[in-house]
Amino acid sequence: MAQTGTDRVKRGMAEMQKGGVIMDVVNAEQAKIAEEAGAVAVMALERVPADIRAAGGVARMADPTIVEEVMNAVSIPVMAKARIGHITEARVLEAMGVDYIDESEVLTPADEIYHIKKDDYTVPFVCGCRNLGEATRRIREGASMLRTKGEPGTGNIVEAVSHMRQVQSQIRHLRGLSEDEVMVYAKENGAPFDLLMEIREEGRLPVVNFAAGGIATPADASLMMQLGADGVFVGSGIFKSNNPEKFARAIVEATTHYDDYKLIGELSKGLGTAMKGMEMSTLTPEQRMQDRSQ
Amino acid sequence: MTTIGVLGLQGAFREHVRSVEATGAKALVVKRIEQLKEIDGLIIPGGESTTIRRLIDKYEFLEPIRDFGKSGNPIFGTCAGLILLASEIDGSYDVHLGVMDIKVRRNAFGRQRESFEADLDIEGVAEGFNAVFIRAPYIEGVGENTKVLARYDGHIVAAQEGHYLACSFHPELTDDHRLTEHFVEMVEEAKKTLAL
């Protein structure tokens, strides 16, 4: 008998995206540019994170018309964002046939304490994380894919680097702990003990972990892959640059051949202006999207 | 020692490497055309077929892979890999490698929410094989020299034509390595023949 929505099917979908680039798009035209450039999936949004920042106010799930338009335009998978804890937005996106839901801190959270219980859904979820505690809590809630939170819409890679390094470093630390030490580590990090034991045994997370939040250039994508990312999300970076087609293709290639520096040098030539970007110290605490969930 | 290459442009290539190694053969991730000389058989993994095709074009892999197959070296395509091997693809999509006489339909079982796992019998290879289908294609028709190995719900989901093997599911995502073993045996046979 066929079973849908199993862990294997949901996590497996994310495995197929490995080594690839997932691009934020706001309409069918951008979705086609992304697919043409070799994106493995697109994230259908009403506004890219940089514009969400600029607009202020409450950011919600995109208008379903935009999501549908994008789904009809491309044959690669389509993802969409629901607010943290917004069970109904997620159910609506699932009913529409979206391939992956991002329960995302880029949107204004609907629930400041609880995330969605994601294992109740047939559609898989991706969630952001800054450390092993957040990563394991999201996995236990049913996330089938993780990504760094970074600091979305800033074009500044520094936070994504820190979050990827933190998770990797904690996994390495965990491997050296004895079983009794893992219990205390679980308590200190708010992490499920059994899942930590599994990660300690395997030496890696049971789901893929992509880089997201601040990737603006091919070199940024390569950097994240070298730090151990399984793939890359590019939000504002592509369609906020002044040559999106070229930028998109260059980021895809830099992700595939992330350790070929000569090639990345070539790819970076004459790309035009990347998005302007923001320095972290200029953000007020309220502007830090990564702090919107634990 | 038999070396199986796994095309490593995008997708689940590390899982295939793990599966090949579990059968006792050596695995090599192929990212450059020159590496085709170092391998006896090639696996084209699952991933996004559109993306893999763009990268195949970009790095001019198309002809070298076709030649690799034409010289008698076995090729195994899974999911996106199956689409790349097919000689005919539904709708207006371009044919990619086109080395296997099969007609495929992309995303044939539906979107991600329709993705599923089910137990299959694969003729001459495995009974009760746990097959994972993710936005999977299926084979709508095969040529006279192509042997159907497995069906699901009436649709062809695995087939073999001489030294070409294809399936629409993901054998690399489970710990059941019987289909990979079958491919490794095909490669070992081909190696003997090619050495003569």
Side-chain angles (χ1 to χ4, degrees):
Chain A
M1 204 43 228
Q3 283 182 289
T4 55
T6 62
D7 273 353
R8 210 169 243 159
V9 164
K10 295 199 284 190
R11 292 176 180 184
M13 157 74 193
E15 301 279 348
M16 297 310 135
Q17 305 266 296
K18 278 193 302 197
V21 181
I22 299 167
M23 301 181 191
D24 278 3
V25 298
V26 298
N27 56 39
E29 186 199 348
Q30 290 187 352
K32 282 182 183 149
I33 291 173
E35 184 175 48
E36 198 57 38
V40 289
V42 288
M43 176 79 70
L45 290 164
E46 206 159 306
R47 281 194 280 262
V48 295
D51 290 337
I52 290 177
R53 249 180 214 293
V58 175
R60 312 180 179 89
M61 170 183 85
D63 181 333
T65 322
I66 295 175
V67 180
E68 258 173 20
E69 185 192 315
V70 169
M71 284 168 63
N72 293 333
V74 294
S75 68
I76 54 176
V78 176
M79 301 187 171
K81 288 186 196 293
R83 279 180 270 177
I84 289 171
H86 206 308
I87 298 164
T88 299
E89 284 188 352
R91 283 293 183 197
V92 168
L93 293 172
E94 179 181 53
M96 288 176 65
V98 160
D99 295 300
Y100 235 95
I101 296 174
D102 185 0
E103 187 184 18
S104 177
E105 66 282 2
V106 168
L107 305 181
T108 313
D111 191 321
E112 292 197 317
I113 302 169
Y114 302 106
H115 279 70
I116 297 170
K117 186 170 154 20
K118 294 167 276 286
D119 49 11
D120 286 346
Y121 292 68
T122 306
V123 64
F125 281 76
V126 54
C127 283
C129 64
R130 292 173 293 185
N131 51 53
L132 196 55
E134 286 187 344
T136 50
R137 288 194 292 278
R138 297 299 88 80
I139 293 169
R140 263 296 169 270
E141 290 158 1
S144 309
M145 178 183 195
L146 295 170
R147 54 171 174 75
T148 58
K149 284 180 169 173
E151 192 53 50
T154 60
N156 189 338
I157 197 72
V158 66
E159 296 296 300
V161 166
S162 150
H163 302 161
M164 184 56 72
R165 277 197 182 272
Q166 179 66 15
V167 171
Q168 303 278 356
S169 147
Q170 284 182 292
I171 293 172
R172 280 192 298 274
H173 175 72
L174 183 63
R175 298 201 78 181
L177 296 184
S178 63
E179 199 170 330
D180 46 356
E181 289 169 334
V182 174
M183 183 56 85
V184 174
Y185 195 74
K187 184 190 76 177
E188 285 169 352
N189 290 278
F193 173 78
D194 58 331
L195 189 50
L196 286 183
M197 289 301 286
E198 196 186 305
I199 295 166
R200 172 173 165 265
E201 178 72 26
E202 296 291 322
R204 60 177 188 88
L205 295 168
V207 301
V208 303
N209 190 15
F210 272 46
I215 292 143
T217 65
D220 286 349
S222 153
L223 168 63
M224 294 312 299
M225 293 300 286
Q226 285 178 57
L227 291 176
D230 290 305
V232 172
F233 280 89
V234 187
S236 319
I238 291 170
F239 292 100
K240 283 281 147 190
S241 73
N242 67 5
N243 191 344
E245 283 93 346
K246 209 167 166 189
F247 241 88
R249 273 194 301 264
I251 287 184
V252 168
E253 253 195 279
T255 305
T256 311
H257 290 289
Y258 60 87
D259 51 0
D260 187 338
Y261 307 112
K262 197 165 160 254
L263 176 78
I264 293 166
E266 287 300 316
L267 293 171
S268 307
K269 281 183 187 164
L271 268 184
T273 320
M275 67 182 285
K276 183 161 177 283
M278 300 167 91
E279 216 285 303
M280 286 308 132
S281 60
T282 64
L283 297 182
T284 63
E286 298 72 44
Q287 288 173 318
R288 285 168 60 88
M289 290 175 171
Q290 60 175 289
D291 298 332
R292 285 172 159 178
S293 68
Q294 292 293 322
Chain B
M1 179 133 182
T2 302
T3 306
I4 310 286
V6 183
L7 189 66
L9 297 176
Q10 190 272 317
F13 52 89
R14 261 168 280 163
E15 287 65 27
H16 273 293
V17 166
R18 192 183 54 95
S19 188
V20 166
E21 286 172 350
T23 71
K26 193 180 161 216
L28 178 74
V29 175
V30 174
K31 284 196 171 199
R32 307 259 171 229
I33 301 164
E34 309 84 76
Q35 291 173 299
L36 291 172
K37 292 191 196 91
E38 302 164 39
I39 60 172
D40 306 301
L42 178 70
I43 294 176
I44 305 178
E48 279 308 317
S49 59
T50 323
T51 309
I52 298 177
R53 170 59 195 264
R54 298 264 180 273
L55 294 166
I56 281 180
D57 286 348
K58 184 85 202 171
Y59 303 112
E60 295 169 346
F61 256 109
L62 206 62
E63 278 310 316
I65 294 177
R66 275 188 192 136
D67 292 343
F68 179 81
K70 278 179 191 153
S71 0
N73 296 296
I75 303 180
F76 179 18
T78 64
C79 194
L82 172 148
I83 296 168
L84 292 164
L85 291 179
S87 60
E88 201 180 337
I89 304 169
D90 70 279
S92 55
Y93 300 105
D94 292 341
V95 164
H96 308 298
L97 293 162
V99 293
M100 206 174 159
D101 198 2
I102 52 176
K103 182 185 177 189
V104 302
R105 175 170 290 277
R106 299 172 79 229
N107 299 337
F109 293 100
R111 302 194 71 97
Q112 173 59 22
R113 66 179 171 190
E114 280 88 39
S115 294
F116 62 98
E117 48 183 303
D119 285 348
L120 296 180
D121 291 338
I122 307 172
E123 201 186 322
V125 178
E127 278 180 21
F129 188 90
N130 178 220
V132 184
F133 292 83
I134 296 172
R135 289 171 44 93
Y138 62 62
I139 302 171
E140 289 185 308
V142 298
E144 53 183 25
N145 296 319
T146 308
K147 189 177 160 197
V148 173
L149 297 184
R151 285 177 195 270
Y152 177 77
D153 201 18
H155 304 296
I156 304 167
V157 294
Q160 184 173 345
E161 180 187 350
H163 60 296
Y164 296 117
L165 180 68
C167 65
S168 55
F169 48 89
H170 292 280
E172 78 283 8
L173 290 183
T174 69
D175 291 325
D176 188 339
H177 304 295
R178 288 178 290 177
L179 191 56
T180 308
E181 252 165 43
H182 173 69
F183 179 65
V184 173
E185 281 163 21
M186 283 168 58
V187 176
E188 281 165 353
E189 281 305 309
K191 235 177 120 177
K192 279 183 213 158
T193 318
L194 292 171
L196 292 177

